[in-house]
Amino acid sequence: MRITKDFNTLDDFNFKDKTVLLRVDINCPLDKSTLRILNDTRIRSIVPTVRELIGKRAKVVILAHQSRKGKWDFIGLDQHAALLSKNLNAKVEYVNDIIGEEAKRAISSLGAGDVLLLGNVRELECESVSADMSDHAESELIGELVPFVDYYVCDAFGASHRSQCSLVGFPAKVPSASGRLMAREIYSLKTIFEKPRRPSVFILGGAKFEDVPVMMDNVLKNGGADFVIVTGLAGNAFLLARGVDIGEASRGVLADELTEENFRAARDVLSRYGEKILLPVDTAVERDGKRVCVSTGDMPTSEPALDIGDQSIDKFRKVILSSKTSFMSGPAGMFEKPGFEEGTKRLMMAMVESNGLSVLGGGHTAGAAEKFDLADRISYVSTGGGALEAFMLREPLPVIEALKYSKKRFGPDH
Ligand code: 3PG
C-alpha cells in the first residue's frame, strides 16, 4: 500500500551500490552529570529504515544532531553510533567530522551495505540558520556533500518543523525520499487528527521553556485546545513569570532558559489566555531522601523542584479525565529518579483512563511511557515533539514541503 503520493518513499528508488545520505532525528535525553544517553527510543525508531537500506545494498551515510550549540547536552554522536550498531546488530562507523577530509574519505571508502554516522551536524554554522530551501541548497554543507551523494532520504520526523540545511537543502539538489518512520508518522497522524474530539487538552512539560509560549499561543489562538497544562521545568519557569519565587536551586536548573525575552513571551500568553492556562499549584522536592510536596504559597524552597506536587497532579488529572483528546509533550518531572515519576506517570494514566484519543510526543516522553508500560495503552506515540505540535496545528512542515518539491523536480526512479 502506498502511504502518500506527494513524496517518494524507499519504494521509489534503486539504491543498490548508491550512496544514500540519510538524515535522522536521534536527539536523545542525556543524564546531566554523566552525559550518557538515558533513552534510545529515537535510535530504535530509525532501525527499520537503516536495515532496509542495508538490505537494498546502499552505502548509508547518516547525518544527525544532538541538542543545540550552547546547551549542556550538545555533544558528539559516538554513543549514538554505538547504540545504533547494537540495535541494528551491524557495524556503524563513526567519524567526528561532517564536511572535512576525514568525512569525505570515510564516505568514499564505503562498500554496499556499510553504515557511517557523521558528527553532530549542528556543529556547522549553516545548520543554525533558518532559511528556505533555495537558500539552504547553496549552503556549505550541501555544496561539500552533494558530489558524494546519489540519493537523500529523510527520516527525521522529529525535526521536520525545522527549516535547516541538512533537512531541506538536499532535496533541491538530489532525488529524495522519506524514510519509513517519517512516512508512518505522517500517515498515522493524518488519520488520527482528521477529526479530533473536544474538549482537548495539551500537557506541555520538559525543559524547552522557550518553545512553550509560542506553542500555547498557537493552540489557544486557533482554538485547537480548550486547556493547556504546563508542567516540568517549563512549569517552574511559568511560575516564576507569574511572580512566584521558586528559589535559587530551581532557578539554577533553568539558567539557560531564563532570558528576558522568554519571560516576556510567558507573561504575554498568561495575560491573554488567563484561566485556559493551568500552572502547578505545588511542586515536589527531595528532602531527607523523600519526596515532599510544597505549595506555591510556601515557596521558595532551598531544594530544586523535581516534579509537580500531588495537588497539581489531582487538579490536572480531573481536566485530563474529562477531555476527549489529550496530548502530552515533555515529562512533568525528573521521572528517571525514583519518587519523582509520579507527575508524569499519573498524568499519563489519566490520559489512558479518559478513554479519549491520547497522543504522546517527543523522545523523552515516549521513553517515559515505555518505562511505565503505558506505551501500548496510548492511542499514538510519536517520536516528534515540536514537529508533532506543528503537525497538529496544521502548519506546513518544511521537510515535507522539500520532499514534495524533490519529487516534482526529480521524480521517482521507476
Ligand atoms: C526535538 O527534539 O524536538 C528535535 O530533535 C528538534 O530539536 P530542536 O528543538 O533543538 O530543533
Side-chain angles (χ1 to χ4, degrees), residues 25 27 42 65 68 122 158 162 208:
D25 184 352
N27 188 13
R42 277 185 167 167
H65 71 277
R68 309 175 192 176
R122 288 190 176 170
R162 304 287 185 214
K208 289 184 191 164

Side-chain angles (χ1 to χ4, degrees), residues 282-294:
D282 60 351
T283 58
V285 300
E286 183 170 36
R287 203 168 279 166
D288 301 325
K290 290 204 186 78
R291 173 189 170 95
V292 173
C293 297
V294 181

Side-chain angles (χ1 to χ4, degrees), residues 248-264:
E248 269 316 302
S250 293
R251 287 178 72 100
V253 182
L254 278 161
D256 289 356
E257 302 280 333
L258 300 184
T259 63
E260 208 27 64
E261 202 184 333
N262 289 350
F263 275 126
R264 230 191 337 269

Side-chain angles (χ1 to χ4, degrees), residues 23-28 42 65-68 71 122 156-162 164 167 208 211 362-364 383-387:
R23 175 62 160 105
V24 296
D25 184 352
I26 47 175
N27 188 13
C28 293
R42 277 185 167 167
H65 71 277
Q66 169 65 42
S67 190
R68 309 175 192 176
K71 297 229 162 185
R122 288 190 176 170
F157 175 72
S160 58
H161 57 315
R162 304 287 185 214
Q164 292 165 344
L167 292 157
K208 289 184 191 164
D211 293 345
H364 215 167
T383 54

